[in-house]
Amino acid sequence: MLEFFRRHRGAFLITLTIIIIISFSVWGGYRGDAGYEKRAQLSDHALTVFGKDFTMGDVQRAQRSLQFAQFYMQAYELPGMLMQLSGGGFSGGGADSLINLFIARHLMEQSGIRVGDAEARAALEQIPVLQTNGKFDLSRAQMLEENAGAMGFEPGDLLGIMKDTIGLRKLQELVSKSYIASPLAAEKQYASSQHTFKGSKIVFETETFKKAAVVTDDEIKKYYEEKKDSYKTVEKRAVSYVFFENPKDLDKKPLEERQKAQNAQVERVNAFNKLTASGVKFAEAAKQTKEKVEAVPAFTQAEPPAALKSESELLTLIFARAKESKTIPEAVEGTAGWYVFDVTAIEEPKQQDLAAVKDKIKETLAGQKANEARSKTVNEARTALNEGLKAGKKIEDLAKEKKLALVALPDIDIATPPQDLPNGFLIAQQAGKTAVGAVSNAVDYDLGTLLIHVSAKELRKRPDAAAVRQSQADSLSSQERMSLFQSWFKKQNAAAKVVTKFGATS
């Protein structure tokens, strides 16, 4: 079983690792003077940090460590912090994260931060993936070690991941632990989140404006000509596949019988793959192994046949395969077994004429006009209402004057709006930013736009106020500490004078 997983592990994680791989794969090769591509060797220089050189082997091992931490150990703290240190929150790229890791390791060593095996092992045993009912599960740890071994890691490498995690945490504490959010800032945050407010809303539904929108044939024709290339049929693909169903009722069978059934399934898959890998055609491989081939006529990815509707990963791979690809079919794990597929036909997208898309374009243009009209009406209404309120008029009189429907809202806790109130979170969020006696900024939601009038606010009394205050103060301090650490780390990044194989980084 382990050999089978080793063979196909790359396909299983392709959608998870694509961001990291793409962002760093360019380091793996370069073009020589003759224009042909040379592959980088593990011993080749990859980058320099604080004057210390690192090889491609060093970089690739660090890259695989981060992938393993995130996708197998589900230990998100280290990859997450490295991304945040890139300045882009959790949208940072793989290359930046790797460079940050090498910088962080240098800074930890420079600061005298050492994490022992015992401390790393204790932290490793606490990660959720190794827990069962809140306790460390040895069998899960052994499985994790097997997975690590399949990727070329040793047990000590898992401790290395935890040492990096703990060390980076200690480095942040060393830099920013002494910072505490000001009592005034903490109190302001508490007050802003613990108010209840009284008020009303005015609704501007998009559908009302859409009904009034007028779209001419000339507008439709012009829009079609401008966007013609975007109006094409969706690509379809036909496939043949063999399904290796998981043995049923395994939980009801003795261990020996269960293992026998699982091994038989793996042997079938391996036998089929062995033939296709040797060049045997898909249909012939099925014939020789006596496996049933399911032939599916052309379909779109959005509308797959019923048998494949729940197999999102399989569908992604079917439509991701390059048109001229000669990739040997590989097994893909599905919800109830394994699939090996072959793309047998591809129907390319075709240009649609105006008649075929006229109604769709009309709907699009009507929606655009409705949005423009709604936005204009909302802005004018908000301005008029706030001016009237400042002049001392009542909101009820102003709404009546402008022919707007004013709908009373229940008293709403800004921090925890009622779940049964439509758009309650959006309403509470905007009300928290709006002064008493004023009308809020526009609040867009799926069916249109809302304006919120806040008639009163009061601080909510709660028995756990002291604990909530402290919790929010701690959270605010934590956010500010991370911000300080990011600023400090950015300066260290500049001091590191990072040089990649392509030159100094910006």
Side-chain angles (χ1 to χ4, degrees), residues 355-377:
V357 297
K358 184 176 180 179
D359 290 342
K360 184 186 295 186
I361 293 176
K362 184 175 182 180
E363 181 71 13
T364 298
L365 292 175
Q368 290 178 356
K369 290 190 174 188
N371 288 335
E372 291 171 2
R374 188 192 73 240
S375 179
K376 182 174 182 293
T377 301

Side-chain angles (χ1 to χ4, degrees), residues 268-283:
R268 286 172 59 204
V269 177
N270 284 338
F272 191 91
N273 276 348
K274 185 176 181 180
L275 288 175
T276 57
S278 67
V280 177
K281 297 294 184 182
F282 190 90

Side-chain angles (χ1 to χ4, degrees), residues 24 27 43-56 58-59 95 98-104 106 492-506:
F24 221 73
W27 288 25
S43 59
D44 287 350
H45 171 259
L47 76 161
T48 302
V49 177
F50 285 108
K52 181 178 180 180
D53 292 334
F54 295 91
T55 67
M56 283 298 302
D58 296 328
V59 170
L98 290 169
I99 291 172
N100 288 342
L101 178 59
F102 286 106
I103 293 173
H106 172 86
Q492 303 307 312
N493 193 315
K497 296 181 179 178
V498 178
V499 178
T500 71
K501 63 182 291 186
F502 302 111
T505 62
S506 56

Side-chain angles (χ1 to χ4, degrees), residues 16-17 20 24 58-83 93-102 105 151 153 157 160-161 164-165 168:
L16 295 174
T17 59
I20 296 178
F24 221 73
D58 296 328
V59 170
Q60 289 181 10
R61 191 165 191 83
Q63 177 191 13
R64 292 192 300 118
S65 292
L66 290 182
Q67 292 172 355
F68 192 86
Q70 188 168 356
F71 305 132
Y72 282 87
M73 296 170 65
Q74 296 177 24
Y76 305 118
E77 182 179 353
L78 178 63
M81 283 192 68
L82 293 173
M83 287 183 182
D96 287 341
S97 293
L98 290 169
I99 291 172
N100 288 342
L101 178 59
F102 286 106
R105 285 174 176 173
M151 293 185 68
F153 290 115
D157 293 322
I161 291 172
D164 283 334
T165 302
L168 187 55

